[in-house]
Amino acid sequence: AVLLTATPGPDNLMVLSMGMSKGRRTGIAFGLGCALGCLSHTLLAVIGVGAILAASPVAFTALKWAGGAYLIWLGIQALRHAGAVRVDGGNTGQQAPAEPLRRTFAKGLVANAINPKVVLFFLSFLPQFVDASRGSMELQLGLLGLLFTAQAAVLFGLLGYFSGSVGVWINRKPQVGKWLDRLAGTVFIALGVRMIAVR
């Protein structure tokens, strides 16, 4: 989860851009909003997977296959577009915020919460770490979602704080972004194959 969160993608690139153009506090507020937006996806995953399990084991198997295929597709896309990362924004990270921090936080929250790709990701990613022998699957999904949200909050908060330095470094070291994309792509594909293969 930490590796996938740290890999350059839409959310952390938005956090970097906000921090670089409007200052550290704005970057942190937006990043924390993005991270806490994951809670809505956790809730949808708990409700959705629970409903599918209650409806039909066949439907759950179909969800696993679809989720695995989606993760493999994400991995292939990451490998195909490795290194195509550039951060826009200022280069000091010290400018004054242009709007109240609570509004910036809300923007990050909404930006993540309404992203259908993140919903699909949570439905694909979380269920494969659930063990039916350990009790309630819904409770396990909820705890896993909370754990994912917590690590995202830490990483996005740090990213917002160090946005100026990190953004300039990424722009100067395109090879780093390329290897991070390759690593993330490999992880996505491996998780997708595992999800399909494990019964």
Side-chain angles (χ1 to χ4, degrees):
V2 170
L3 171 64
L4 300 179
T5 302
T7 301
D11 283 346
N12 40 21
L13 290 181
M14 283 192 295
V15 173
L16 276 173
S17 295
M18 290 287 284
M20 291 174 70
S21 63
K22 297 184 179 180
R24 285 176 170 170
R25 294 180 65 192
T26 300
I28 292 170
F30 189 83
L32 292 177
C34 280
L36 292 181
C38 292
L39 293 176
S40 65
H41 305 306
T42 298
L43 180 61
L44 288 174
V46 169
I47 294 171
V49 172
I52 290 172
L53 277 172
S56 165
V58 174
F60 184 67
T61 301
L63 173 67
K64 282 183 59 178
W65 276 81
Y70 179 66
L71 289 175
I72 291 170
W73 181 81
L74 285 178
I76 291 170
Q77 293 303 307
L79 293 174
R80 284 183 60 202
H81 303 292
V85 172
R86 184 162 185 87
V87 183
D88 296 320
N91 54 17
T92 66
Q94 299 294 331
Q95 294 88 342
E99 62 183 356
L101 293 180
R102 63 181 180 276
R103 187 175 301 170
T104 304
F105 173 84
K107 283 184 177 179
L109 190 71
V110 172
N112 186 290
I114 65 173
N115 187 342
K117 291 184 177 178
V118 184
V119 176
L120 287 174
F121 173 75
F122 267 64
L123 284 171
S124 305
F125 184 71
L126 294 183
Q128 65 186 299
F129 299 103
V130 172
D131 183 352
S133 68
R134 295 180 179 268
S136 168
M137 295 186 74
E138 289 85 356
L139 178 59
Q140 290 182 61
L141 281 169
L143 291 173
L144 288 169
L146 287 173
L147 183 60
F148 191 100
T149 300
Q151 61 85 31
V154 172
L155 289 181
F156 282 175
L158 290 172
L159 194 58
Y161 184 81
F162 294 108
S163 53
S165 302
V166 173
V168 170
W169 184 71
I170 285 177
N171 286 341
R172 288 180 179 172
K173 305 276 187 182
Q175 289 298 321
V176 174
K178 183 179 292 186
W179 282 105
L180 280 173
D181 282 339
R182 288 173 177 168
L183 187 57
T186 303
V187 169
F188 275 130
I189 291 171
L191 287 174
V193 170
R194 176 181 181 272
M195 189 170 192
I196 292 171
V198 173
R199 295 178 182 271

